Amino acid sequence: MGSAGVPVVVGLDNGGNSNNATVLTVDGRFLVDGLVEIPSEVQAGPEAAIEALARAFDGVLALTGVPRALVRAVGLDTPGPASATGVISSRGSTNFSQPAWRGYDVRSALERRLGLPVVYANDGNAAALYAHHVHFGADAMRRSSVAAIVGTGLGGGVVEAGRVVGGAAGMAGEFGHVHIPLDGLLGPDQAVPTCACGFSGDVESVASLTGIERNLLPYWLARFPGHPLAAEQPRRAAKLVRGYGERGDELARQVFAQQAAALGRLFTIAANFTDPHAYFVGGGVVEAAPEFRDWFLATVREHTVLRAEQAAVATFALVPDRDMAGARGVAIAALEAVQAGSAAGPPVTGGAALR
């Protein structure tokens, strides 16, 4: 699968459960067509997680037959919040719950471990960047978009004129922690949902796997006595809900309708801040059967309030290659840094010619 001496960058997508890796040649060809995953070990702490990332790096090179000497840089994405240069928030995060992660410089640690330049982006920004460039192609540098990536938490990204908006501290596009109106969103007597970050009523408290486990399932299971999910452990039950939703189960559709409504309210806020050309939804919630994901996206659109002028030009779409978007997006960021002569710092991109 190698590419006969052509230099490459490696993209590493770090998640709460798994690392996914990809390889991108400097002439814009991805050498990996599917997921290349191993456990991420993030719950075991930073040292174990860095070693797991190194294993993912070695593994994808072995799979593609690319010699290590051809690697010019590595792109790394992780869940946020984190700084533009890869320092995990001093408050920790949903995925990085151990105290040792607070304020940890994950980019520099991986750079030292691999001995290669490492470019950092949070996972939402990486997926947003990939979605933007694939969706708009040659027009990417003249278009804007926002993306919400639903996973263990809720990530996202703002892309303006083809470039990720990083912000002063690197925390722009942290859509999960935007507060949304809850009137009409919650059911009768449903408690205000709480987030692992300490907020109440932010988007992640509803639209995330953690939100399902902590806030949505307990409420809806009480209203559907005898539902099979009541017999499952909460974490496992949260992961099983999507399968029930695909089959049209009423409880599951109630859960995902709340998530879609929350995303619609988020996009309504985004419409008034950035007025983007496109709104993308990605992550586990749309790793589903076509009927379910089309229903979900349509429900998000239904709850997004746009002015007529905005509705005439805006598009709603799923993040393409959804499970690979993070690794591919951060590989694009790494390639752009190499081409700009600086493979460190926040991701900025002029758009690789992807093939």
Side-chain angles (χ1 to χ4, degrees), residues 14-40:
N14 167 260
N17 297 307
S18 302
N19 292 326
N20 179 39
T22 195
V23 179
L24 174 63
T25 65
V26 294
D27 54 3
R29 289 174 292 124
F30 284 105
L31 301 184
V32 174
D33 293 328
L35 283 173
V36 182
E37 286 189 314
I38 64 167
S40 64

Side-chain angles (χ1 to χ4, degrees), residues 47-81:
E47 291 185 11
I50 293 297
E51 288 305 310
L53 284 165
R55 287 195 296 275
F57 172 84
D58 292 337
V60 79
L61 291 183
L63 178 70
T64 55
V66 174
R68 198 178 195 278
L70 288 177
V71 180
R72 297 294 177 261
V74 176
L76 168 68
D77 77 65
T78 75

Side-chain angles (χ1 to χ4, degrees), residues 156-340:
V158 178
V159 178
E160 183 64 42
R163 301 175 187 274
V164 169
V165 177
M171 296 181 182
E174 280 294 344
F175 287 142
H177 307 297
V178 172
H179 286 85
I180 55 172
L182 297 177
D183 291 348
L185 176 67
L186 301 181
D189 302 318
Q190 187 171 5
V192 172
T194 58
C195 182
C197 76
F199 285 166
S200 296
D202 62 10
V203 189
E204 185 174 298
S205 69
V206 178
S208 67
L209 189 65
T210 305
I212 290 177
E213 178 186 346
R214 290 175 51 145
N215 301 313
L216 304 189
L217 260 187
Y219 174 79
W220 288 107
L221 282 173
R223 276 142 189 84
F224 286 83
H227 194 283
L229 287 175
E232 302 285 351
Q233 291 292 327
R235 180 159 297 184
R236 175 169 164 77
K239 292 180 179 178
L240 292 173
V241 174
R242 186 180 66 196
Y244 280 88
E246 289 178 298
R247 297 189 292 273
D249 178 79
E250 186 180 356
L251 176 149
R253 289 293 174 118
Q254 293 281 6
V255 167
F256 288 113
Q258 285 195 314
Q259 290 203 333
L263 293 177
R265 291 172 183 226
L266 169 68
F267 284 163
T268 300
I269 294 169
N272 288 289
F273 267 91
T274 67
D275 187 26
H277 292 94
Y279 300 82
F280 297 115
V281 178
V285 73
V286 291
E287 299 289 336
E291 184 275 332
F292 176 84
R293 64 177 186 245
D294 291 347
W295 165 81
F296 188 85
L297 185 64
T299 308
V300 172
R301 173 66 185 88
E302 177 187 341
H303 288 273
T304 304
V305 180
L306 301 178
R307 294 176 176 85
E309 297 89 341
Q310 295 174 312
V313 296
T315 58
F316 286 72
L318 301 173
V319 174
D321 303 310
R322 293 169 296 280
D323 48 4
M324 297 184 287
R328 287 187 166 195
V330 82
I332 294 170
L335 178 56
E336 290 298 331
V338 168
Q339 291 172 339

Side-chain angles (χ1 to χ4, degrees), residues 38-162:
I38 64 167
S40 64
E41 309 290 351
V42 294
Q43 298 304 322
E47 291 185 11
I50 293 297
E51 288 305 310
L53 284 165
R55 287 195 296 275
F57 172 84
D58 292 337
V60 79
L61 291 183
L63 178 70
T64 55
V66 174
R68 198 178 195 278
L70 288 177
V71 180
R72 297 294 177 261
V74 176
L76 168 68
D77 77 65
T78 75
S83 76
T85 54
V87 178
I88 303 301
S89 169
S90 59
R91 296 181 64 178
S93 76
T94 300
N95 286 275
F96 300 111
S97 55
Q98 275 200 4
W101 280 111
R102 295 174 188 167
Y104 185 79
D105 187 344
V106 65
R107 187 200 68 81
S108 293
L110 184 62
E111 191 167 81
R112 287 192 300 272
R113 173 64 178 81
L114 297 180
L116 288 162
V118 174
V119 173
Y120 178 80
N122 77 46
D123 56 355
N125 283 181
L129 189 62
Y130 182 67
H132 183 93
H133 281 271
V134 171
H135 185 82
F136 289 115
D139 287 332
M141 304 309 290
R142 296 182 291 277
R143 296 290 184 268
S144 61
S145 64
V146 295
I149 314 298
V150 185
T152 306
L154 182 86
V158 178
V159 178
E160 183 64 42

